Amino acid sequence: MSFLEDFQASLEPLPNILQRKYALLRDLDKSLQGIQRQNEQRCLQEIEEFNEGIKSGNIAPGTSLNKFSDEAQDEQKHSIRIADEKVALAVQAYDLVDAHIQQLDQYLKKFEEQRREKDAVAAAGTPGLVPDGNGKPAKEGGRGGRKKSRLANAAAAAATAAANPPSMDLDLPVDPNEPTYCFCNQVSYGEMVACDNPDCKIEWFHYGCVGLKEQPKGKWYCSDCSGMQKRRKGK
């Protein structure tokens, strides 16, 4: 049984378990409210009787009501026990959900690792994506070579996307030695595009970070390089 199948099997009875615990919580809450109302009425009655005793002279003036009756105190203790049971049930429900969330996190981490391994294999076998000495995708010489490299990159990314479902953005630890790209300063993932300015400091960009949904036709410049060219033309 795969990890996903095992997770689905453990998740299937969770709604019914939680439903039973929530139903028990509601029953305990109703019982607690009833006991609290009864205890409040009893305590008010005992205070009223105490005041009447002072007025009638049966209780000496200046005497204080040190404690309520044993029945009233028993009701208060019972209320505390029910409240403790409610807290214990709520903690059990939370722990059940939290355990499944942690299990799902482990599955997503494994899924992301497998996706990255497949992306690395696809990139290594695609011409024009051989890393340079700094670990970044090498830019081929000449405008024609750059365009072919981008087309090859798009083809490899499309093949990878077809073989693997879109991954979720996960807050996973990143190797500090792994090169970063784009305005977001993140590692290489998904589809990327190269700036046609040979002097571009960043060079490679994620589609989503620059508002692209498909491979641009002709030349493409990042916003920094495009703005620099406009300023030069305006001088």
Side-chain angles (χ1 to χ4, degrees):
M1 181 179 292
S2 66
F3 186 89
L4 180 58
E5 292 173 338
D6 184 50
F7 174 74
Q8 290 176 332
S10 65
L11 186 64
E12 186 174 353
L14 181 62
N16 290 333
I17 295 175
L18 291 176
Q19 186 176 9
R20 288 196 297 269
K21 290 187 179 297
Y22 292 151
L24 183 55
L25 273 171
R26 285 194 296 269
D27 293 341
L28 288 173
D29 192 58
K30 290 180 181 179
S31 177
L32 178 60
Q33 291 178 5
I35 294 175
Q36 287 177 330
R37 284 194 297 268
Q38 179 179 332
N39 183 253
E40 183 179 0
Q41 292 173 358
R42 185 187 299 276
C43 290
L44 289 174
Q45 182 179 355
E46 291 182 6
I47 292 173
E48 185 177 350
E49 291 175 353
F50 181 81
N51 292 332
E52 290 293 333
I54 293 177
K55 291 179 180 180
S56 63
N58 294 329
I59 299 177
T63 304
S64 60
L65 181 61
N66 293 326
K67 63 177 183 179
F68 291 107
S69 65
D70 292 339
E71 291 81 0
Q73 294 183 55
D74 288 341
E75 289 171 349
Q76 293 170 359
K77 292 177 182 178
H78 191 192
S79 298
I80 294 174
R81 286 194 297 269
I82 293 178
D84 289 340
E85 289 183 36
K86 288 179 60 181
V87 172
L89 274 173
V91 170
Q92 290 175 12
Y94 174 87
D95 289 341
L96 274 173
V97 176
D98 184 61
H100 283 79
I101 291 175
Q102 292 183 18
Q103 191 177 10
L104 179 60
D105 287 341
Q106 292 297 321
Y107 165 72
L108 291 175
K109 287 180 181 179
K110 291 183 179 180
F111 177 81
E112 183 67 11
E113 289 172 359
Q114 294 174 357
R115 185 194 67 81
R116 289 187 177 183
E117 290 175 359
K118 291 180 180 180
D119 287 348
V121 171
T126 303
L129 295 180
V130 179
D132 58 16
N134 296 325
K136 294 185 178 181
K139 290 188 174 183
E140 298 183 7
R143 298 182 182 274
R146 287 177 54 77
K147 188 173 182 180
K148 290 179 181 178
S149 175
R150 284 165 44 197
L151 291 175
N153 187 19
T160 303
N164 301 279
S167 61
M168 299 172 60
D169 290 334
L170 302 175
D171 186 14
L172 300 176
V174 176
D175 184 355
N177 297 320
E178 188 172 357
T180 57
Y181 312 92
C182 193
F183 295 125
C184 64
N185 197 31
Q186 297 295 322
V187 297
S188 173
Y189 64 84
E191 296 180 284
M192 300 183 69
V193 61
C195 178
D196 275 295
N197 182 7
D199 298 324
C200 181
K201 296 180 179 180
I202 300 178
E203 301 181 349
W204 289 88
F205 303 84
H206 304 107
Y207 271 24
C209 295
V210 293
L212 292 177
K213 295 183 178 180
E214 58 184 12
Q215 187 71 16
K217 298 179 181 180
K219 299 176 183 178
W220 181 87
Y221 298 93
C222 68
S223 58
D224 287 350
C225 295
S226 177
M228 187 181 301
Q229 288 180 350
K230 290 180 180 178
R231 287 194 294 271
R232 287 177 180 176
K233 292 180 180 179
K235 291 181 179 180

